[in-house]
Amino acid sequence: MNTLDVLVVGAGPAGAIAARLLAQAGYRTGLMDDIRQTEKVGESLAGAARPLLRDLGLLEWMDDSGAKPCMGNLSAWGSEELVATDFIRDPHGMGWHLNRVCFDTGLREAALAEGVQWYASKLQAVIAETEQWRIPLSMQDIKTRWIIDASGRRSVCAKRLGCKRLKDAPLIAVYAWGENNDQDERTLIEAVPYGWWYTAPLPEGRRVVSLHVEAKEAASFMRHPGLWHEYMAGTHHIRQLCSTQHWSSLRAAEAGSSRLAQAAGNRWLAIGDAALAFDPLSSQGMFNALYTGLRGAQAVANALEGNIGMVEQYCARLEQIHLAYQQHVHYYYQAEQRWAQASFWRSRLLAHSPQ
């Protein structure tokens, strides 16, 4: 029987950072995930993350991941004209295009280097016992005082504990990777009547392109991949950066905003996408993972010492972030009025209307 102070379930950026911080603070910490070394979509990180990574002592791990500079954004939103945003004017400087496998692996290795115990397993069950949890595994059970749910949008711990997930209008990203044949290092977003496209250059001469649509349209693209390529060829700007003929097979992932009805409970707390997941239009997802990994770990550390008020403050802060996000993303969707009566655009405005 392994006995821990904290078990972090999910070894993405949020989970790895939380586990590392708790281990550095002297707590017996475990990190559990069924790691599959597959490519992940979500490869951009804003320059605002730089001071956070610096304070966490993780900038060297960022450098070792081979991240590529992101110099700015281009967007065709509200009109066909491209509008440029240059990050040289951002007080935090340029952002990054990430190799997510390398980035996530680096953060996980940084956690293990601090003595975090690694469990290569899926979470099978969460059993409440007096003042602790028991997590059954095939070889040995784990007993832990606290659990941090860092399992992403699935929020597997919270769901097993009966916590409901609240979802806004469904949004599906249908995406692929290919060769990058363009020297422009900026991201590009282009709105279309049925949704919006995104593309960015990646490390090692690669490019990602993603189409964000409603679930019905996404299902059609997955059944008929040639249709996705036809739609891309019909864009004004995306097609100019995505001229390669060698694209990977299409993948699809849930991309709509969602959150737990409660981000914490008796001896558990959620971070990252498990707590609060954003529409990728907001460009907040990766930063939110880092930030909530930090703040969630601090809240749990205080709770372990008897100060449960930090957990309440963490939940209140998440609520503030959610309200600000809703206003932010509503503003951007409202800025695109060319197809205001189309199903996709109408549902975005209704879903993200400030309360």
Side-chain angles (χ1 to χ4, degrees):
M1 181 76 68
N2 275 5
T3 302
L4 302 172
D5 293 310
V6 187
L7 176 66
V8 182
V9 179
I17 283 176
R20 180 173 182 268
L21 287 170
L22 287 161
Q24 287 177 326
Y27 297 103
R28 296 166 298 175
T29 307
L31 185 59
M32 174 184 287
D33 206 333
D34 179 26
I35 292 295
R36 300 177 183 179
Q37 294 290 7
T38 58
E39 293 179 285
K40 297 181 180 180
V41 72
E43 302 94 339
S44 294
L45 183 59
R50 184 178 300 277
L52 183 56
L53 289 169
R54 180 198 62 223
D55 293 346
L56 290 169
L58 290 169
L59 275 179
E60 64 177 288
W61 298 91
M62 166 66 79
D63 294 338
D64 291 344
S65 73
K68 182 183 181 71
C70 177
M71 309 308 294
N73 295 327
L74 294 167
S75 61
W77 198 272
S79 74
E80 289 186 10
E81 181 183 356
L82 276 180
V83 176
T85 301
D86 194 334
F87 288 169
I88 197 171
R89 299 177 181 176
D90 191 303
H92 300 294
M94 66 182 185
W96 296 276
H97 300 301
L98 306 175
N99 178 323
R100 276 297 303 277
V101 171
C102 292
F103 180 71
D104 290 8
T105 298
L107 294 183
R108 186 167 63 251
E109 290 176 349
L112 300 182
E114 296 294 337
V116 172
Q117 297 183 50
W118 173 247
Y119 300 93
S121 175
K122 288 183 178 180
L123 181 74
Q124 301 297 332
V126 181
I127 301 170
E129 296 184 345
T130 305
E131 299 301 319
Q132 64 183 0
W133 301 100
R134 180 163 61 87
I135 312 297
L137 296 179
S138 58
M139 299 297 293
Q140 59 183 341
D141 289 358
I142 299 171
K143 287 193 175 182
T144 183
R145 296 166 64 191
W146 269 77
I147 294 176
I148 293 181
D149 188 344
S151 61
R153 293 170 182 267
R154 296 173 299 151
S155 50
V156 293
C157 294
K159 286 182 179 178
R160 287 184 181 277
L161 296 173
C163 187
K164 182 179 179 182
R165 192 161 190 91
L166 309 176
K167 297 185 178 182
D168 291 325
L171 179 70
I172 307 296
V174 183
Y175 56 95
W177 292 275
E179 300 171 358
N180 181 29
N181 297 322
D182 196 277
Q183 297 301 311
D184 198 319
E185 295 183 338
R186 294 173 291 185
T187 61
L188 171 63
I189 293 175
E190 181 175 351
V192 288
Y194 47 86
W196 56 275
W197 289 86
Y198 164 89
T199 188
L202 301 178
E204 301 175 352
R206 305 179 70 243
R207 175 171 290 278
V208 63
V209 60
S210 180
L211 170 60
H212 301 79
V213 291
E214 294 183 311
K216 181 179 179 181
E217 283 70 24
S220 296
F221 291 128
M222 295 305 293
R223 287 194 303 267
H224 309 288
L227 188 61
W228 183 88
H229 292 280
E230 289 179 17
Y231 274 48
M232 182 168 62
T235 62
H236 293 284
H237 305 288
I238 291 288
R239 66 180 180 183
Q240 297 180 36
L241 297 180
C242 302
S243 58
T244 180
Q245 300 300 311
H246 305 289
W247 292 102
S248 67
S249 299
L250 290 185
R251 297 187 188 180
E254 185 177 351
S257 57
S258 62
R259 61 188 175 117
L260 289 173
Q262 61 182 86
N266 183 26
R267 292 178 283 114
W268 71 269
L269 176 146
I271 59 177
D273 281 355
L276 180 59
F278 298 116
D279 183 317
L281 183 64
S282 71
S283 301
Q284 289 181 249
M286 286 293 292
F287 181 85
N288 184 64
L290 305 182
Y291 178 79
T292 57
L294 166 62
R295 298 306 181 195
Q298 292 173 336
V300 170
N302 275 267
L304 287 165
E305 300 303 319
N307 180 12
I308 199 68
M310 283 287 291
V311 173
E312 297 172 356
Q313 292 175 29
Y314 171 78
C315 292
R317 178 58 181 150
L318 283 186
E319 185 62 27
Q320 293 172 351
I321 292 171
H322 176 253
L323 291 175
Y325 157 76
Q326 288 282 55
Q327 295 173 348
H328 175 79
V329 79
H330 176 76
Y331 170 81
Y332 280 109
Y333 275 119
Q334 191 176 46
E336 179 52 85
Q337 291 290 326
R338 286 176 290 173
W339 312 288
Q341 297 308 310
S343 173
F344 177 88
W345 296 98
R346 187 171 64 250
S347 64
R348 298 313 106 182
L349 290 174
L350 290 174
H352 298 292
S353 179
Q355 302 299 314

